[in-house]
Amino acid sequence: MEEYSFRFHITDSYPLHNENDKIEAVVRTKIKHADRGCLYEGYLRVHITKVGVFPVAKDIAEAISVRSLRQQLAAELKRYVRPHRNFL
């Protein structure tokens, strides 16, 4: 199993104008591999609704090409943003 470390920081959040009760958060993301160093550093969007937290798949697909890492990144993003959603 590959070892990756993820660093997240919510930099901005705003309501989406065309969607009711939907907030978009911009998360600064940094992914490091234990041996290869920094794999990705940039911003990813996350949509937050009453139902849950949904990372924007298009952003993740553009940032990462490996499918297993995409899935892991989406899960880690959800895990990071979920406790913060009441404060956004």
Side-chain angles (χ1 to χ4, degrees):
M1 176 104 184
E2 301 274 343
E3 288 205 25
Y4 299 100
S5 63
F6 299 90
R7 301 277 309 209
F8 302 111
H9 180 75
I10 298 173
T11 58
D12 194 14
S13 68
Y14 44 88
L16 292 176
H17 298 292
N18 55 355
E19 305 274 342
N20 289 340
D21 298 329
K22 194 177 214 183
I23 298 172
E24 185 171 88
V26 179
V27 182
R28 191 181 83 213
T29 305
K30 188 171 188 178
I31 304 171
K32 286 186 179 180
H33 186 270
D35 299 327
R36 292 179 275 173
C38 186
L39 295 177
Y40 175 76
E41 188 169 358
Y43 295 92
L44 300 175
R45 295 175 295 159
V46 178
H47 291 158
I48 303 160
T49 65
K50 290 180 182 177
V51 176
V53 176
F54 305 99
V56 176
K58 182 180 177 184
D59 290 354
I60 293 175
E62 289 174 357
I64 303 296
S65 61
V66 181
R67 184 171 184 237
S68 61
L69 182 55
R70 284 183 192 168
Q71 293 172 335
Q72 189 176 358
L73 174 59
E76 293 292 331
L77 261 173
K78 283 183 177 182
R79 200 170 109 196
Y80 176 78
V81 174
R82 190 175 294 125
H84 299 282
R85 71 178 171 186
N86 292 335
F87 306 105
L88 298 176

